[in-house]
Amino acid sequence: MNGETVVLATASDFSGWRAWSRKLLHDRVAAEAIRWITEAPADLYAPFATRVLPSAPSTTNIPRSLASLFPAVFVSEDSDRFRLLYETLQTLRDGMSVPDGLVRQLQELAAQSRERALDLRCQMPDARNPDWQVIRTSHAAAVIDSQATALSNLRPTPWIVIAPERTLCWDGHEYRFGPGLENESSDPSETIAAARTLATAGAGNAWWDGIAPVRLHPQAADIAASPSMASLRAKAVDCKMCDLCGPATRTVSGEGKPEARIIFVGEQPGDQEDLQGRPFVGPAGQLFDRALREAGGNRQDAWITNAVKHFKFVPKGPRRIHQKPDSTEIAACAPWLAREREVLVPKVTVMLGVTGASAVLGRQVTVSRERSRHIPLEDGSIGLVTVHPSYLLRLPDEESRTREYTKFVTDLRMAISALAG
Ligand code: URA
């Protein structure tokens, strides 16, 4: 057969595959005549490397429903995946509809890759401990590569993923890719140093440009079926249930003890929370921590979350000014909070402010009327409404701040004492 052999740099070299596919489709080379192989170039892990890709005009319009499958099919373990994708493009180029059997095959491969990606994400610790974290895994290199951005959104503080065929380092600012780390030391700091030395290919190396991220596209049914806080958090990275995901840096999921018996529900992450990927770590969060300690509780024993998981703001010069989420955004985010509470089964739910209270109670709430008393919730557990800590920060004078802070601590104490009953 008079064929073409195309060499991809890695199994995650989506931009190489795309550029070659475009060229071969343009030249009308048939799928059966192409042999796709992956072979690492000598400078694959070099700090800097250039590459030359073919260029050709696009001949194909891909429907969005199919296009969204491509990155996930690409990193699947099926040895025929590159050909299947090319064949799909070839069919579309020729103006034909993609046979159902092929669509099903693509969907199945995509589902397998997404499952692997979810599994990897679930291994990522949250950002509470800012020290370097090492994640050892057996995931295929291509799946790991496809999750680099998702993993850094899950944990903006440093980590290293070590797998048989891949080392991926995130130092809090940028990624570096390297081959698998052999002969790992028993000393964790030596492992971290060795992995960092090994992972040398980053933004300056064109072989790693254009890795296609595999996204999970969570819908209400996926959220409702999530078995754990880890899987909820892993899926929420890709949440696009409302428009707030666009401007925000990342989804800020709840954090805490997965067996906690008390949950605190705020409004939405603020500027600091959006940057650090953790709820209640900015000024309101610090005040909340202090009040909680004074009330006899602590953050480590609780689950802390928000009604809305993305920061809503308007830019004003270099600052981002908080905006209240509207009822559509609160409703769009409701499946996350509902499932968090179903998985946690808390004995006590503390609603911090009107947004948290309306989201939990599913109705309009006036905080001043409903605060400071136990409210029976539908699932038989106890609810308590109190003010949002940022309300205390906004009070104009010392006297009212002290008075309201004391009432806030009293409310928190009342919530904590309900745990004992
Ligand atoms: N305000 C909130 O409601 N939640 C946060 O996480 C931070 C500030």
Side-chain angles (χ1 to χ4, degrees), residues 266-270 273 279-280 284 306 388:
E267 180 186 79
Q268 61 162 340
E273 288 78 13
F280 280 104
N306 284 298
H388 191 283

Side-chain angles (χ1 to χ4, degrees), residues 188-203:
S189 60
E190 278 180 19
T191 299
I192 292 167
R196 293 183 70 183
T197 309
L198 196 63
T200 43

Side-chain angles (χ1 to χ4, degrees), residues 55-74:
S55 72
S58 169
T59 49
T60 315
N61 280 329
I62 318 175
R64 197 187 284 199
S65 59
L66 275 180
S68 70
L69 300 174
F70 271 53
V73 174
F74 193 80

Side-chain angles (χ1 to χ4, degrees), residues 48-325:
F48 300 98
T50 53
R51 81 184 295 194
V52 180
L53 285 171
S55 72
S58 169
T59 49
T60 315
N61 280 329
I62 318 175
R64 197 187 284 199
S65 59
L66 275 180
S68 70
L69 300 174
F70 271 53
V73 174
F74 193 80
V75 301
S76 74
E77 283 172 23
D78 189 303
S79 57
D80 227 12
R81 62 200 183 280
F82 303 142
R83 185 188 62 77
L84 288 175
L85 290 171
Y86 185 88
E87 205 173 292
T88 307
L89 294 183
Q90 185 178 277
T91 310
L92 291 167
R93 180 204 59 192
D94 295 341
M96 298 190 298
S97 60
V98 182
D100 289 349
L102 179 52
V103 173
R104 258 198 312 279
Q105 209 174 347
L106 298 178
Q107 285 168 335
E108 275 162 26
L109 293 176
Q112 285 164 18
S113 296
R114 289 189 179 132
E115 206 48 50
R116 299 298 291 147
L118 173 64
D119 188 67
L120 175 61
R121 290 183 190 187
C122 285
Q123 283 185 251
M124 181 57 74
D126 65 29
R128 279 178 290 174
N129 178 351
D131 299 339
W132 280 88
Q133 299 289 310
V134 176
I135 297 94
R136 291 179 187 79
T137 181
S138 58
H139 283 80
V143 170
I144 295 172
D145 299 343
S146 79
Q147 295 306 295
T149 308
L151 295 175
S152 71
N153 279 331
L154 269 173
R155 184 183 153 83
T157 40
W159 47 258
I160 299 171
V161 171
I162 297 176
E165 291 169 0
R166 176 71 70 242
T167 303
L168 172 60
C169 276
W170 167 255
D171 65 4
H173 304 283
E174 57 186 2
Y175 318 108
R176 298 228 178 270
F177 299 88
L181 173 66
E182 283 167 22
N183 306 324
E184 198 184 312
S185 161
S186 56
D187 176 346
S189 60
E190 278 180 19
T191 299
I192 292 167
R196 293 183 70 183
T197 309
L198 196 63
T200 43
N205 183 321
W207 296 111
W208 298 92
D209 277 354
I211 294 172
V214 171
R215 299 206 170 91
L216 304 183
H217 311 289
Q219 301 298 314
D222 309 305
I223 300 169
S226 297
S228 64
M229 294 304 203
S231 81
L232 277 171
R233 181 171 151 260
K235 291 175 188 173
V237 170
D238 292 330
C239 184
K240 290 197 168 22
M241 309 267 279
C242 75
D243 292 340
L244 295 184
C245 59
T249 312
R250 56 172 54 81
T251 313
V252 180
S253 288
E255 73 168 32
K257 188 163 144 183
E259 310 80 35
R261 293 164 66 232
I262 186 163
I263 182 171
F264 293 90
V265 183
E267 180 186 79
Q268 61 162 340
D271 180 75
Q272 278 308 306
E273 288 78 13
D274 170 83
L275 297 174
Q276 296 183 40
R278 301 184 55 204
F280 280 104
V281 289
Q286 284 160 23
L287 187 64
F288 166 71
D289 282 352
R290 196 181 114 206
L292 186 59
R293 276 195 306 273
E294 274 182 46
N298 69 70
R299 213 179 151 107
Q300 289 71 36
D301 290 333
W303 189 263
I304 298 176
T305 194
N306 284 298
V308 171
K309 311 291 197 247
H310 280 110
F311 178 34
K312 181 176 181 182
F313 62 93
V314 285
K316 190 169 176 199
R319 296 181 58 214
R320 302 188 297 173
I321 310 297
H322 162 276
Q323 300 285 291
K324 254 195 171 339

